[in-house]
Amino acid sequence: MTARTARPPKLRPRGRGGPAPKPRRGSALGGLRHVYTRARRAWDRPLTAYYLIFGGSLLLTVLGLVMVFSASQIQALQSGLPSTYFFRKQLVAAVLGTGLLLLASRLTVRMHRALAYPLLAVSVFLMTLVQIPGIGQTVNGNRNWLQLGGSFQLQPSEFGKLALVLWGADLLTRKQDKRLLNQWKHLLVPLVPAAFMLLGLIMLGGDMGTAIILTAILFGLLWLAGAPTRLFAGVLGVTGLLGLLLITTSANRMARLACIGATEPGPNDQCWQAVHGIYALASGGLFGSGLGASMEKWGQLPEPHTDFIFAVTGEELGLAGTLSVLALFAALGYAGIRVAGRTEDPFVRYAAGGVTTWITAQAMVNIGAVLGLLPIAGVPLPLFSYGGSALLPTMFGIGLLIAFARSEPGARAALAMRQPALRRKLAGVRWKTMRRRVKQRPSGER
């Protein structure tokens, strides 16, 4: 029987006990399964967290520089300054922060632990200096700044976040090595009193936004240490009562709380900033009005390059731009949780979890305030908003995550295997280039 006269194979009828036919390779279902399988394999690779942290933080910093340049020009010109004034300062801070990131990514765990106590002592000393009359500077009603000379200022409370992460991680690691974390007094003391000392120094200056982030870091460390539910709820209840007391005793904080979900500026324009932030987001549409074309930054929206830079991003880059920023923060958060969950070193777990809690909580508080879902707390968007005091410790924290991601199981071996391959590729490129140059010699040359 020839190939032309051969009978086609019999098809098994459906629904009579036989298995369902497999989808063809070219079908839509088969293509989706193939894409899902490849994405899952890529997601489970040892260097996934490393690339997510490095790439996500790089994209956020670069996009933040672009948006600071766009959002701050009008503010600078209205203050009688060059239009690139704030952008140049942010660029300098980004360069210095990159150096801190590279330094932190190359330090060993032992060196990071050695930095814990000196950094905490320096942070407490500087935060105490802020409260001395004549030394501390008041900005927007908050006394949390030190004048460094010229136009440069330092906010020590931003470095207090990093100090609490490193010191708390080192403290909990030493207690875990001695098997003391199963006792509630060792779990709370001295971590909670030290955190409340930092909170007290911050609240003396009136900066409740930074205090909220510091509280989130404290609860993140307690959660990672395995605090019992009753103990966790007790500390949360005490902190909530203190926060409620601080809010109800301040007319400014009560006014901010009343602006949640506001659609009108209200009496005395107390909700002006919150409402115009919503206006900026609403006028952006799907793809925005274009980079540099924001209308709200022309004096209508206060702090367009700091606390409300996300609103200007939504107006100029639209829903696509804001969702991209949210996706980058989500990638950073996932990568940090993955690093904390896969390590066997307790210090790495506590420090990675603390940095991840810090960055994600601060991003949620900032974006929630811009969206009108939370009161305006006055905290910058990490890696994105203008402010060198916030950018420098945040980039050091990103460097911590990169260092920990490099030590993830399988990551060191993967990096070690890629370095010789890269060298071979570069050597091959150089050899091919030399051969091409030899072929291009003029006739008669030897």
Side-chain angles (χ1 to χ4, degrees), residues 120 123-124 127 160 163-164 193-203 214:
L120 179 65
S123 299
V124 171
M127 292 167 68
L164 180 61
F196 274 77
M197 176 187 65
L198 293 175
L199 289 171
L201 291 172
I202 292 173
M203 289 307 301
L214 210 68

Side-chain angles (χ1 to χ4, degrees), residues 164-165 168-169 172 191 216-226 350-351 354 357:
L164 180 61
V165 168
L172 293 174
L191 177 62
I217 295 174
L218 172 63
F219 284 123
L221 291 174
L222 289 176
W223 182 273
L224 291 167
Y350 296 135
T357 304

Side-chain angles (χ1 to χ4, degrees), residues 243-263:
L244 183 62
L245 179 64
L246 292 172
I247 291 174
T248 54
T249 55
S250 173
N252 183 30
R253 298 188 186 111
M254 287 297 295
R256 293 188 178 188
L257 191 65
C259 292
I260 297 178
T263 56

Side-chain angles (χ1 to χ4, degrees), residues 52-68 90 94 309-310 313 321-333 359-360 363 367 381-386 391 394-395 398:
L52 283 178
I53 295 169
F54 184 79
S57 59
L58 178 63
L59 289 174
L60 281 171
T61 305
V62 172
L63 184 58
L65 286 172
V66 174
M67 293 311 304
V68 166
Q90 186 73 357
I309 194 171
F310 189 75
T313 304
T322 55
L323 289 181
S324 299
V325 174
L326 291 175
L328 290 174
F329 277 113
L332 274 180
I359 294 176
T360 53
I367 295 174
L381 190 58
L383 301 172
F384 206 84
S385 296
Y386 168 79
L391 184 62
T394 304
M395 294 193 76
I398 293 295

Side-chain angles (χ1 to χ4, degrees), residues 150-199:
S151 61
F152 292 96
Q153 294 177 323
L154 179 69
Q155 189 176 3
S157 57
E158 292 291 340
F159 293 87
K161 302 173 186 176
L162 178 62
L164 180 61
V165 168
L166 287 178
W167 178 78
D170 178 71
L171 175 69
L172 293 174
T173 300
R174 288 188 288 108
K175 286 181 176 289
Q176 180 172 332
D177 292 340
K178 297 179 181 180
R179 299 181 179 179
L180 298 175
L181 290 182
N182 55 351
Q183 305 177 28
W184 68 267
K185 58 181 180 180
H186 286 287
L187 189 62
L188 296 180
V189 181
L191 177 62
V192 174
F196 274 77
M197 176 187 65
L198 293 175
L199 289 171

Side-chain angles (χ1 to χ4, degrees), residues 312-368:
V312 179
T313 304
E315 185 179 4
E316 296 188 349
L317 302 182
L319 181 64
T322 55
L323 289 181
S324 299
V325 174
L326 291 175
L328 290 174
F329 277 113
L332 274 180
Y334 165 79
I337 294 174
R338 169 171 164 158
V339 171
R342 289 195 174 191
T343 184
E344 297 180 357
D345 190 328
F347 176 81
V348 173
R349 181 170 64 253
Y350 296 135
V355 172
T356 305
T357 304
W358 162 20
I359 294 176
T360 53
Q362 188 163 323
M364 289 175 61
V365 170
N366 179 277
I367 295 174

